[in-house]
Amino acid sequence: GQQVMQIPQYQHVQEGEDFTTYCNSSTTLSNIQWYKQRPGGHPVFLIQLVKSGEVKKQKRLTFQFGEAKKNSSLHITATQTTDVGTYFCAGLLTNAGKSTFGDGTTLTVKP
Amino acid sequence: DVKVTQSSRYLVKRTGEKVFLECVQDMDHENMFWYRQDPGLGLRLIYFSYDVKMKEKGDIPEGYSVSREKKERFSLILESASTNQTSMYLCASSLPSPSGKDTQYFGPGTRLTVL
């Protein structure tokens, strides 16, 4: 069964509001990656987190990896219309040969 | 820059036809993947390959087969296309996980319609 769960499935926000998507795994992850898929496009790699408790920032985006390496979050501060799209997490399970993708969170931003 | 190309952006086929979707990557990646993406269902892994002539089933392999004769090329085959295989098909490649990454690079996708 699916081992990487992502919530929420959809999020609608007003421009300027914050947004967070959460990713949870039933087992410990070696790393977690985040991807963004713009409408009509394909998933594009954003960032990878490897260390327990790691926090990384990319402008208005903040990525966190949990202490137990079983969960992660992506937070966008003050959303803009350019943030619309679907955000996927992908967890690499320990001793696995490939990552497992979450179902994604689709963000819409109302101007 | 990693480049993953897919043979067609749009494809229309008839029920029962044999369909080939081709994917080529230029970064000498060992791993290659085929996903299908449908609204509300995320990315579902069909097959992946971690080396030439090696393949493993993903989550939804039924109705599909794959071929990897050369490292850079990974083909998805629908032996007898059915309407429920209408979907967006995405190919990806990556270095193997012992490298510590498995960062996947995706192609632009093929939107297949089966009539």
Side-chain angles (χ1 to χ4, degrees):
Chain A
Q2 186 167 7
Q3 294 171 291
V4 176
M5 305 299 292
Q6 191 173 352
I7 56 169
Q9 188 175 6
Y10 300 97
Q11 186 78 55
H12 311 281
V13 300
Q14 193 77 34
E15 189 172 21
E17 291 181 339
D18 291 356
F19 158 76
T20 305
T21 173
Y22 301 90
C23 194
N24 294 289
S25 169
S26 54
T27 56
T28 303
L29 301 171
S30 293
N31 69 48
I32 194 153
Q33 299 161 48
W34 286 93
Y35 295 77
K36 177 182 179 181
Q37 183 177 23
R38 295 181 185 275
H42 57 274
V44 175
F45 173 76
L46 292 176
I47 207 162
Q48 179 185 243
L49 304 171
V50 179
K51 299 176 184 176
S52 169
E54 189 170 12
V55 178
K56 287 187 177 180
K57 293 193 175 187
Q58 288 179 350
K59 299 182 180 178
R60 293 176 295 103
L61 279 62
T62 301
F63 304 85
Q64 293 189 332
F65 201 10
E67 294 290 341
K69 300 183 71 173
K70 289 185 176 182
N71 57 74
S72 181
S73 64
L74 157 59
H75 179 82
I76 302 178
T77 303
T79 55
Q80 299 175 359
T81 54
T82 52
D83 294 325
V84 298
T86 301
Y87 293 85
F88 292 96
C89 63
L92 181 60
L93 278 67
T94 306
N95 298 324
K98 59 172 182 60
S99 298
T100 299
F101 279 80
D103 283 344
T105 296
T106 299
L107 172 66
T108 55
V109 179
K110 195 173 182 181
Chain B
D1 265 359
V2 176
K3 193 167 184 183
V4 180
T5 57
Q6 294 183 229
S7 48
S8 307
R9 289 301 305 271
Y10 300 94
L11 205 54
V12 180
K13 296 291 182 181
R14 297 205 172 274
T15 302
E17 280 193 78
K18 190 169 186 175
V19 182
F20 293 87
L21 302 182
E22 305 284 342
C23 176
V24 178
Q25 50 95 3
D26 67 357
M27 277 302 289
D28 204 35
H29 283 171
E30 279 83 356
N31 294 348
M32 295 189 76
F33 308 83
W34 275 107
Y35 297 89
R36 65 176 282 178
Q37 185 173 31
D38 302 286
L41 296 178
L43 295 166
R44 292 186 291 169
L45 182 64
I46 305 171
Y47 268 96
F48 70 102
S49 168
Y50 52 88
D51 203 349
V52 175
K53 296 191 186 294
M54 306 298 283
K55 61 184 179 184
E56 287 205 19
K57 294 180 179 179
D59 300 319
I60 51 163
E62 296 78 19
Y64 303 95
S65 62
V66 290
S67 172
R68 189 147 182 221
E69 297 296 319
K70 293 185 178 181
K71 191 175 185 180
E72 67 271 17
R73 187 180 296 270
F74 193 33
S75 303
L76 180 69
I77 304 154
L78 288 67
E79 292 289 342
S80 178
S82 63
T83 54
N84 62 15
Q85 292 178 309
T86 292
S87 186
M88 170 67 83
Y89 289 88
L90 288 160
C91 174
S93 72
S94 73
L95 288 169
S97 58
S99 72
K101 292 198 171 185
D102 194 39
T103 299
Q104 295 190 25
Y105 297 87
F106 285 82
T110 296
R111 185 165 294 281
L112 172 67
T113 302
V114 183
L115 302 175

